[in-house]
Amino acid sequence: MKWERKDILGIRELSPDEINFILDTADSFVEISTRDIKKVPTLRGKTIINFFIEASTRTRTSFEIAGKRLSADTINITASSSSLVKGETLIDTARNLEAMNPDIVVIRHSAAGAPHMIAKLIRQSIINAGDGAHEHPTQALLDMMTIRLRKGSFAGLKIAIVGDIAHSRVARSNIFGMTKMGADVHVAGPATMLPPFLNRFGVTVHTDMGEAIRDADVVMMLRIQMERESLNIFPSLREYSTYYCLNQDRIGLAKPDVLVMHPGPLNRGVEIAPDVADGVNSVILQQVTYGVALRMALLYLLTGGTL
Amino acid sequence: MKWERKDILGIRELSPDEINFILDTADSFVEISTRDIKKVPTLRGKTIINFFIEASTRTRTSFEIAGKRLSADTINITASSSSLVKGETLIDTARNLEAMNPDIVVIRHSAAGAPHMIAKLIRQSIINAGDGAHEHPTQALLDMMTIRLRKGSFAGLKIAIVGDIAHSRVARSNIFGMTKMGADVHVAGPATMLPPFLNRFGVTVHTDMGEAIRDADVVMMLRIQMERESLNIFPSLREYSTYYCLNQDRIGLAKPDVLVMHPGPLNRGVEIAPDVADGVNSVILQQVTYGVALRMALLYLLTGGTL
Amino acid sequence: MKWERKDILGIRELSPDEINFILDTADSFVEISTRDIKKVPTLRGKTIINFFIEASTRTRTSFEIAGKRLSADTINITASSSSLVKGETLIDTARNLEAMNPDIVVIRHSAAGAPHMIAKLIRQSIINAGDGAHEHPTQALLDMMTIRLRKGSFAGLKIAIVGDIAHSRVARSNIFGMTKMGADVHVAGPATMLPPFLNRFGVTVHTDMGEAIRDADVVMMLRIQMERESLNIFPSLREYSTYYCLNQDRIGLAKPDVLVMHPGPLNRGVEIAPDVADGVNSVILQQVTYGVALRMALLYLLTGGTL
């Protein structure tokens, strides 16, 4: 199989075969980061621009390490949109980047759809590293990679996603991906954090966290945006935590070999109890490790690599 | 010919032969950025410090890509002068950089003359990436490269530069360069944006934009610094735009094959109409592409390269 | 001899043999930065993360140049702790970095002990690039390297350290190191800047700067944190300077071949007179040059290098 798409913009448009092809490729890149010399010449002479208009340390670092381990030249542009471009339109900024002949532009932007707009305008490959509350495809792919490596496949898995479903690009991308791959996806959160018509996406919706995680094979906790406390989405962190924190009591409802996942950064004691985050079921740090391999795979496939 | 100068500080001191030598070298570097493997080992083991005391994304990115495509090690130092050095003098900062044995230091500074002062004090090559309202030689060189590639030579060309001539380092460097190369340079702007004694520099001065661009071979529009609106240099953006925006009507005054240029970032609808910026005469994005090649050429020549 | 420690956290725990081994290794790296091609393939395929939670330009730049001249991949993470991690604990941030499989994490943090805590938790090598007012081991090692290269050994040397001893991690690390290496260390400063029980560390304490520097072989001036003027540690910069500035008169008290040192950045006219900073006895810029070699040596030893 050869990768055909120019860009990685979202999980919504990917087929199960495409997802499996990405994950197969990513699996083969895990080993490079464990070598004594963690570097292959695959992308020598390629230029990758990490264009992060919305602040991000972990995703940018993961992409930068992925690029460097493939011997690509990596350029970071990190700034608030205002200071970056002195009133320049996003389209003009993108066309300027295009004119410098990069091979791939990785974009994070606070506006949903920004990477898609740029992808239509410029000839280089775009990777969406998170756009507003829309999609975060590389996070969902590394999540699916982690699950597939531990569980073998998605068929028959009960996966629970808990938290602020309505405002989470991680949740959206994972719902698209996991339902597509055949998992039985359940979501839970307070009613204010559940978007309407969610059942149309093929997921089962709960306000009772216990129902969502009962007998689950995977529980993915979402980060609470604590700065939203004042927006009346939830009354208080304490009340949220009372009903939706993954603690030892609740984890007992899931299967004994349940995978505990979280995209990070953790709010310990809010959406996840410390002993659960650090417990035997947690694969939170493996997600980070696989994230580097997954991003290496995408950079490789988009520059013409084949498995 | 071999390059003799230690530094690139301004266009004012360069001879036409030197400018042509730089442009010839830059022409030969254009092709590298179009290769599948966009990298040559020319500057392996050289250290280039991009020392940007005044914010700049596009120029810094252009230099960083240029350095990496030549296999140099590039180090970015980007900060406001206050936070950077905790009260250290610019001279001490420069001597500290010198002591780390870089090969080239690229400097942007809000104070006119800062790169010149540093160049006298330290033994490494300095490239001025813009100093106050004084000079921006690499921008002017890439502008001249673009014109020469399209028009063959400067002899007999009518070139119009329109905007805030008084406060523009891009205008200054281009006026020095283009008059030196034999072009017939006209400038236009409101009287508040025209410095006194400008005719001494060998240019023809207009307040009527139409006269400047009539039968022009090249029209270079300058960016309006919109944050200066309150400084009483111009009454309003709308009034400025009425008299000095390059729109379709005005472009009709120039020659049919006129080159439309702009150093970026664009204020669409202020100094340039969108359909002109994106029109068939526009070479704005080619300027960006040639900018990388031009900077590769300078890095190459200053480290002892020969054509 | 082979390097045995996983981390470089402080000078306090190093033996004289270890210090000499580091300095011997560093001496051998000085020459690389003077070559035409300033790069060796020693650390190819190694990943070094410069994790600077407290702002620093010179130390970060020195580490980045050191890493690149050894062909390592270097990743910079520079941010205030608040914006960096959105409420994530330092431990979780460190574990996330660990999961990306770097080889060395260089950490600067405003909290004393932060690098030590991280070093216990993650398997990679940690280098302390300054933690609060605690230790700054790489600065002390480059200081000792400078002295040893000029004076041959520490035996019998009178070394004076002058300034805000109580709040200086540079002073602490140097006191640990220099007393250990057999020097006769004197410190001087106003009583408000002298910590209690300092004599237990084997140094002689003075409030009279003249006594400290009389017949000294080395005088190390500390930077005054001018922003602390309001904290009532000293009455005014002018008064401080009257009593504790190293000027030409005072330098006459020391030996004729005294080395004048300063970790930078300089407050010219406050703790050091300009003509002394730039005088024949000053080795301030050599400290910077040796700093790159010293950091190359540490990166080399921590990744398994042998002399």
Side-chain angles (χ1 to χ4, degrees):
Chain A
M1 184 170 171
K2 193 168 152 47
W3 187 253
E4 302 287 350
R5 290 179 188 273
K6 172 171 136 340
D7 311 296
I8 301 288
L9 298 173
I11 301 296
R12 191 169 204 169
E13 59 265 30
L14 298 183
S15 71
D17 278 355
E18 287 178 310
I19 292 172
N20 274 321
F21 182 51
I22 292 171
L23 302 190
D24 290 347
T25 311
D27 290 352
S28 75
F29 277 103
V30 173
E31 176 267 339
I32 293 172
S33 289
T34 66
R35 292 183 194 170
D36 191 43
I37 295 180
K38 289 177 282 291
K39 200 174 181 87
V40 291
T42 318
L43 262 64
R44 200 173 66 79
K46 304 294 186 189
T47 305
I48 297 167
I49 296 181
N50 292 316
F51 181 48
F52 278 61
I53 298 298
E54 190 185 67
S56 161
T57 296
R58 66 183 59 223
T59 304
R60 192 267 299 168
T61 302
S62 183
F63 269 110
E64 187 176 352
I65 289 178
K68 288 187 151 89
R69 290 197 178 147
L70 293 169
S71 300
D73 291 324
T74 59
I75 311 280
N76 293 321
I77 303 179
T78 52
S80 67
S81 52
S82 57
S83 72
L84 175 64
V85 290
K86 304 178 190 166
E88 189 178 52
T89 66
L90 179 62
I91 291 174
D92 279 336
T93 304
R95 282 178 174 150
N96 269 275
L97 295 180
E98 178 187 32
M100 297 188 197
N101 288 303
D103 293 274
I104 296 177
V105 181
V106 179
I107 301 176
R108 167 165 292 192
H109 200 286
S110 56
H116 306 68
M117 183 175 71
I118 293 174
K120 275 188 207 145
L121 288 166
I122 79 175
R123 66 185 184 282
Q124 288 90 359
S125 291
I126 302 293
I127 299 179
N128 178 3
D131 63 320
H134 181 226
E135 280 236 33
H136 191 351
T138 64
Q139 177 70 43
L141 287 165
L142 75 87
D143 292 338
M144 289 191 278
M145 177 184 178
T146 305
I147 294 169
R148 211 185 65 156
L149 279 169
R150 292 305 184 101
K151 298 293 186 186
S153 83
F154 291 89
L157 290 189
K158 178 176 180 181
I159 300 178
I161 305 177
V162 181
D164 186 357
I165 309 295
H167 302 93
S168 169
R169 56 193 176 207
V170 175
R172 279 180 65 87
S173 289
N174 267 309
I175 287 170
F176 289 138
M178 290 167 175
T179 53
K180 207 170 285 202
M181 300 303 283
D184 176 26
V185 181
H186 293 247
V187 303
T192 50
M193 293 180 174
L194 294 171
F197 312 116
L198 197 51
N199 52 342
R200 291 189 191 165
F201 292 95
V203 305
T204 309
V205 183
H206 308 267
T207 51
D208 179 349
M209 179 178 173
E211 291 174 19
I213 67 175
R214 191 178 317 279
D215 297 322
D217 298 281
V218 176
V219 177
M220 178 179 295
M221 300 306 299
L222 301 176
R223 171 183 172 75
I224 276 295
Q225 310 287 101
M226 292 200 282
E227 57 276 23
R228 292 199 181 131
E229 190 170 2
S230 57
L231 298 183
N232 295 324
I233 297 175
F234 57 101
S236 73
L237 284 178
R238 194 162 60 169
E239 180 160 350
Y240 182 82
S241 181
T242 304
Y243 292 104
Y244 297 101
C245 180
L246 187 65
N247 55 26
Q248 284 295 358
D249 281 351
R250 291 204 174 98
I251 198 73
L253 297 170
K255 286 196 182 150
D257 63 347
V258 63
L259 302 183
V260 171
M261 304 180 72
H262 191 294
L266 301 178
N267 293 308
R268 291 174 171 264
V270 179
E271 73 265 3
I272 192 164
D275 55 356
V276 173
D278 303 331
V280 293
N281 295 93
S282 173
V283 292
I284 294 171
L285 293 171
Q286 282 88 332
Q287 290 173 266
V288 177
T289 298
Y290 295 148
V292 173
L294 185 280
R295 290 171 178 121
M296 291 172 78
L298 292 179
L299 298 174
Y300 171 75
L301 291 175
L302 290 180
T303 51
T306 51
L307 189 56
Chain B
M1 184 169 173
K2 194 168 151 48
W3 187 254
E4 302 287 352
R5 291 179 188 272
K6 171 171 134 346
D7 311 295
I8 302 288
L9 298 174
I11 302 295
R12 191 169 204 168
E13 58 264 29
L14 298 183
S15 71
D17 278 355
E18 287 178 310
I19 292 172
N20 274 320
F21 183 50
I22 291 171
L23 301 190
D24 291 346
T25 310
D27 289 352
S28 75
F29 277 104
V30 172
E31 178 265 339
I32 292 172
S33 291
T34 68
R35 293 183 193 171
D36 190 44
I37 295 181
K38 290 177 281 291
K39 201 174 180 87
V40 291
T42 317
L43 262 64
R44 200 174 66 80
K46 305 293 186 189
T47 305
I48 297 168
I49 295 181
N50 291 318
F51 181 49
F52 279 61
I53 298 299
E54 191 185 66
S56 161
T57 296
R58 65 184 60 224
T59 304
R60 191 268 297 168
T61 302
S62 183
F63 269 110
E64 186 175 353
I65 290 178
K68 288 185 151 86
R69 290 198 178 144
L70 293 168
S71 300
D73 290 324
T74 59
I75 311 281
N76 293 321
I77 304 179
T78 53
S80 67
S81 52
S82 57
S83 72
L84 175 63
V85 289
K86 302 179 192 167
E88 190 177 51
T89 66
L90 179 62
I91 292 174
D92 279 335
T93 305
R95 283 179 174 148
N96 269 275
L97 295 180
E98 178 187 33
M100 294 188 200
N101 288 302
D103 293 274
I104 296 177
V105 181
V106 179
I107 300 176
R108 167 164 292 192
H109 200 285
S110 57
H116 306 68
M117 184 175 71
I118 292 174
K120 276 189 206 143
L121 288 166
I122 78 174
R123 66 185 184 282
Q124 287 92 357
S125 291
I126 301 294
I127 298 179
N128 179 2
D131 63 321
H134 180 226
E135 280 236 33
H136 191 352
T138 64
Q139 178 70 43
L141 287 165
L142 74 88
D143 291 338
M144 291 190 276
M145 177 184 178
T146 306
I147 294 169
R148 210 185 64 156
L149 280 169
R150 293 302 185 102
K151 297 294 185 186
S153 82
F154 292 88
L157 290 190
K158 177 176 181 182
I159 300 177
I161 305 176
V162 181
D164 187 357
I165 308 294
H167 302 93
S168 170
R169 56 193 176 205
V170 175
R172 280 180 64 88
S173 289
N174 268 309
I175 287 170
F176 290 138
M178 290 167 174
T179 54
K180 205 170 286 200
M181 300 303 285
D184 176 25
V185 181
H186 293 246
V187 304
T192 50
M193 293 180 174
L194 294 170
F197 310 118
L198 198 51
N199 53 342
R200 291 189 190 165
F201 292 94
V203 305
T204 310
V205 182
H206 307 269
T207 51
D208 178 348
M209 179 177 173
E211 292 173 17
I213 68 175
R214 190 178 315 279
D215 297 321
D217 298 281
V218 176
V219 177
M220 178 180 294
M221 300 306 299
L222 300 176
R223 172 183 171 74
I224 277 294
Q225 310 287 102
M226 292 199 282
E227 57 277 23
R228 291 198 182 134
E229 191 171 1
S230 57
L231 298 183
N232 296 323
I233 297 175
F234 57 100
S236 73
L237 284 178
R238 193 161 62 167
E239 180 160 350
Y240 181 82
S241 181
T242 304
Y243 292 104
Y244 297 102
C245 180
L246 187 65
N247 54 28
Q248 283 294 358
D249 282 351
R250 292 207 172 97
I251 199 74
L253 297 170
K255 288 197 181 148
D257 62 348
V258 64
L259 302 183
V260 171
M261 304 180 71
H262 191 296
L266 302 177
N267 293 309
R268 290 173 173 264
V270 179
E271 72 266 2
I272 191 163
D275 55 355
V276 174
D278 303 332
V280 292
N281 295 94
S282 172
V283 292
I284 293 171
L285 293 172
Q286 284 87 332
Q287 292 173 266
V288 177
T289 299
Y290 295 149
V292 174
L294 185 280
R295 290 170 178 122
M296 290 172 78
L298 293 179
L299 299 175
Y300 171 74
L301 291 174
L302 290 180
T303 50
T306 52
L307 189 55
Chain C
M1 184 170 171
K2 194 169 153 44
W3 187 255
E4 302 286 351
R5 290 179 188 272
K6 172 171 132 347
D7 311 295
I8 302 288
L9 297 174
I11 302 296
R12 191 170 204 168
E13 58 265 27
L14 298 183
S15 71
D17 278 356
E18 285 178 310
I19 292 172
N20 274 320
F21 182 50
I22 291 171
L23 301 190
D24 291 346
T25 310
D27 290 352
S28 75
F29 277 103
V30 172
E31 177 266 339
I32 293 172
S33 290
T34 67
R35 293 183 193 170
D36 191 43
I37 295 179
K38 290 177 280 292
K39 200 175 180 84
V40 291
T42 318
L43 263 63
R44 199 173 68 79
K46 304 293 185 188
T47 305
I48 298 168
I49 295 181
N50 292 317
F51 181 48
F52 278 62
I53 298 299
E54 191 185 66
S56 161
T57 296
R58 66 184 59 223
T59 304
R60 192 268 298 169
T61 302
S62 182
F63 269 109
E64 188 176 351
I65 290 178
K68 286 185 152 85
R69 290 199 177 144
L70 293 169
S71 300
D73 291 323
T74 59
I75 311 280
N76 292 321
I77 303 178
T78 53
S80 67
S81 52
S82 56
S83 72
L84 174 63
V85 289
K86 303 179 191 166
E88 189 177 52
T89 66
L90 179 63
I91 291 173
D92 279 335
T93 304
R95 283 178 174 150
N96 268 274
L97 295 180
E98 177 186 34
M100 295 188 200
N101 289 303
D103 294 274
I104 296 177
V105 181
V106 179
I107 300 176
R108 169 165 292 192
H109 200 286
S110 57
H116 306 68
M117 184 175 70
I118 292 173
K120 275 187 206 146
L121 288 166
I122 78 175
R123 65 184 185 282
Q124 287 91 358
S125 291
I126 301 294
I127 298 179
N128 178 4
D131 63 321
H134 180 226
E135 281 237 32
H136 192 351
T138 65
Q139 177 69 43
L141 287 165
L142 74 87
D143 292 337
M144 290 191 276
M145 178 184 178
T146 306
I147 294 169
R148 210 185 66 156
L149 279 169
R150 294 303 185 102
K151 299 293 186 186
S153 82
F154 292 89
L157 290 189
K158 179 177 179 180
I159 300 176
I161 305 176
V162 181
D164 186 356
I165 309 294
H167 303 92
S168 170
R169 57 193 177 205
V170 176
R172 279 180 65 88
S173 289
N174 267 309
I175 287 170
F176 290 138
M178 291 167 174
T179 53
K180 206 171 286 202
M181 300 302 284
D184 177 26
V185 181
H186 293 246
V187 302
T192 50
M193 292 180 174
L194 294 171
F197 311 117
L198 198 50
N199 53 343
R200 290 189 191 166
F201 292 95
V203 305
T204 310
V205 183
H206 307 268
T207 52
D208 179 348
M209 179 177 173
E211 291 174 18
I213 67 175
R214 190 178 316 279
D215 298 320
D217 299 282
V218 176
V219 177
M220 177 180 295
M221 300 307 299
L222 300 177
R223 170 183 173 74
I224 277 294
Q225 311 287 100
M226 292 199 282
E227 57 277 22
R228 291 199 181 132
E229 190 170 1
S230 58
L231 298 183
N232 296 322
I233 297 175
F234 57 100
S236 73
L237 283 178
R238 192 161 64 167
E239 181 160 350
Y240 181 83
S241 181
T242 304
Y243 292 104
Y244 297 101
C245 181
L246 187 64
N247 55 26
Q248 283 294 359
D249 282 351
R250 290 206 174 98
I251 199 74
L253 296 171
K255 288 197 180 149
D257 61 348
V258 64
L259 302 183
V260 171
M261 304 180 74
H262 191 295
L266 302 177
N267 293 309
R268 290 173 173 265
V270 180
E271 72 264 3
I272 191 163
D275 54 356
V276 173
D278 302 332
V280 292
N281 295 94
S282 172
V283 293
I284 293 171
L285 293 171
Q286 284 88 332
Q287 291 173 267
V288 177
T289 299
Y290 295 149
V292 174
L294 185 278
R295 289 171 179 120
M296 290 172 80
L298 293 180
L299 298 176
Y300 171 74
L301 291 175
L302 290 181
T303 51
T306 51
L307 189 58

